[in-house]
């Protein structure tokens, strides 16, 4: 992508927005009130807002390699605290995607330097669901299922935080696990039953 072109694109985007609404940027600068926190993969093919048809101001976004929510990652934890306790979002989405290079790399024997501890969290997901994953003979299907289970486990990590536990009690905040299928463009809701998962894990992880 040509860098100079990016600035030309920006100029046409401004013109387009102002043609529809001359006050567009004036209103945008007043503040944000997003309803959704989206945590997705940094993959250049999985563009958060575009695939959801979301407009600026509607979704608070965090992206990292393989849409992870590690318990000790200050970046994602700060994003959750700010979105849940300050912006008061009512929905948190973890969106994985099939053919995720991060998930695939995690399962291969290679020294990836600083990526080792990051991707090791995915090996933990495999260990937790080893019986199910080992029973899938087809490699592609096995990776697809690992992508789904990784989304589920990152949703569980979200439920472990005090901000989300508090918001669940106060306003029944909901956590959603989704997968984007690059092959078809489809956004799939994994329909994870969080009320049940929450009951199951709260005995161990209850903070408040
Ligand atoms: Co990815």
């Amino acid at each position: 992508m040509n860098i100079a072109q990016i600035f030309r694109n920006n100029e046409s985007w401004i013109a387009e927005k102002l043609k529809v609404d001359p006050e567009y940027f004036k209103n945008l600068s007043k503040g944000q009130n997003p309803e959704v926190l989206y945590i997705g993969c940094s993959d250049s093919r999985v563009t958060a807002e575009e695939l959801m048809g979301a407009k600026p101001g509607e979704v608070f976004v965090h992206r990292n390699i393989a849409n992870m929510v590690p318990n000790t990652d200050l970046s994602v934890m700060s994003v959750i605290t700010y979105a849940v306790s300050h912006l008061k979002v009512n929905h948190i989405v973890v969106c994985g995607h099939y053919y995720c290079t991060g998930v695939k790399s995690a399962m291969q024997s290679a020294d990836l330097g600083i990526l080792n501890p990051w991707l090791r969290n995915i090996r933990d997901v495999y260990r937790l669901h080893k019986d199910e994953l080992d029973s899938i003979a087809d490699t592609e299907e096995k990776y697809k299922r690992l992508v789904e289970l990784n989304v589920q486990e990152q949703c569980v990590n979200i439920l472990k935080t005090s901000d989300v536990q508090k918001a669940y009690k106060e306003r029944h905040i909901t956590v959603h696990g989704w997968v984007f299928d690059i092959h078809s463009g489809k956004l799939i809701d994994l329909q994870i039953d969080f009320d049940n998962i929450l009951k199951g894990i709260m005995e161990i992880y209850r903070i408040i």
Side-chain angles (χ1 to χ4, degrees):
M1 196 176 187
N2 184 298
I3 296 296
Q5 185 60 45
I6 291 175
F7 288 88
R8 285 194 290 273
N9 291 348
N10 174 249
E11 289 300 329
S12 355
W13 176 72
I14 293 169
E16 251 171 61
K17 289 288 177 196
L18 292 177
K19 206 165 78 186
V20 179
D21 176 9
E23 302 289 289
Y24 185 77
F25 293 103
K26 203 177 148 196
N27 289 333
L28 207 58
S29 63
K30 283 180 188 160
Q32 59 171 334
N33 189 23
E35 185 70 13
V36 177
L37 163 61
Y38 169 100
I39 299 170
C41 185
S42 297
D43 193 301
S44 58
R45 300 164 296 177
V46 190
T47 55
E49 289 91 343
E50 195 175 318
L51 68 89
M52 289 188 282
K55 292 190 281 292
E58 290 183 332
V59 184
F60 200 69
V61 174
H62 180 79
R63 290 168 71 181
N64 61 35
I65 293 173
N67 43 270
M68 304 299 290
V69 185
N71 298 301
T72 52
D73 179 49
L74 270 180
S75 181
V76 71
M77 287 301 145
S78 305
V79 164
I80 291 172
T81 295
Y82 186 65
V84 173
S85 298
H86 298 270
L87 295 173
K88 307 270 181 203
V89 298
N90 286 316
H91 301 273
I92 305 178
V93 171
V94 176
C95 185
H97 66 101
Y98 295 141
Y99 312 101
C100 180
T101 333
V103 170
K104 202 166 184 182
S105 310
M107 298 316 298
Q108 283 157 1
S109 299
D111 185 353
L112 299 171
I114 190 66
L115 277 169
N116 292 337
W118 185 261
L119 296 176
R120 198 173 296 134
N121 294 299
I122 297 169
R123 291 191 191 227
D124 294 337
V125 173
Y126 196 105
R127 179 167 51 81
L128 283 168
H129 299 276
K130 192 175 183 299
D131 291 346
E132 181 186 344
L133 289 163
D134 281 351
S135 71
I136 305 170
D138 185 83
T139 315
E140 197 173 302
E141 289 306 313
K142 193 196 289 255
Y143 277 122
K144 283 172 104 169
R145 186 62 187 140
L146 181 56
V147 162
E148 295 173 0
L149 290 168
N150 184 46
V151 166
Q152 182 177 311
E153 290 304 326
Q154 303 319 311
C155 289
V156 169
N157 282 344
I158 287 171
L159 296 173
K160 293 174 189 170
T161 66
S162 61
D163 294 277
V164 173
Q165 288 183 15
K166 207 167 146 228
Y168 185 80
K169 233 180 193 173
E170 283 172 6
R171 58 181 197 273
H172 218 283
I173 192 171
T174 39
V175 181
H176 310 262
W178 296 351
V179 166
F180 176 67
D181 183 4
I182 295 188
H183 249 304
S184 63
K186 252 200 161 56
L187 199 52
I188 302 156
D189 186 347
L190 296 175
Q191 311 271 6
I192 302 168
D193 181 356
F194 283 103
D195 285 328
N196 252 338
I197 288 183
L198 200 71
K199 272 179 217 139
I201 66 162
M202 279 311 261
E203 203 184 317
I204 306 166
Y205 295 106
R206 187 185 302 279
I207 293 175
I208 54 144

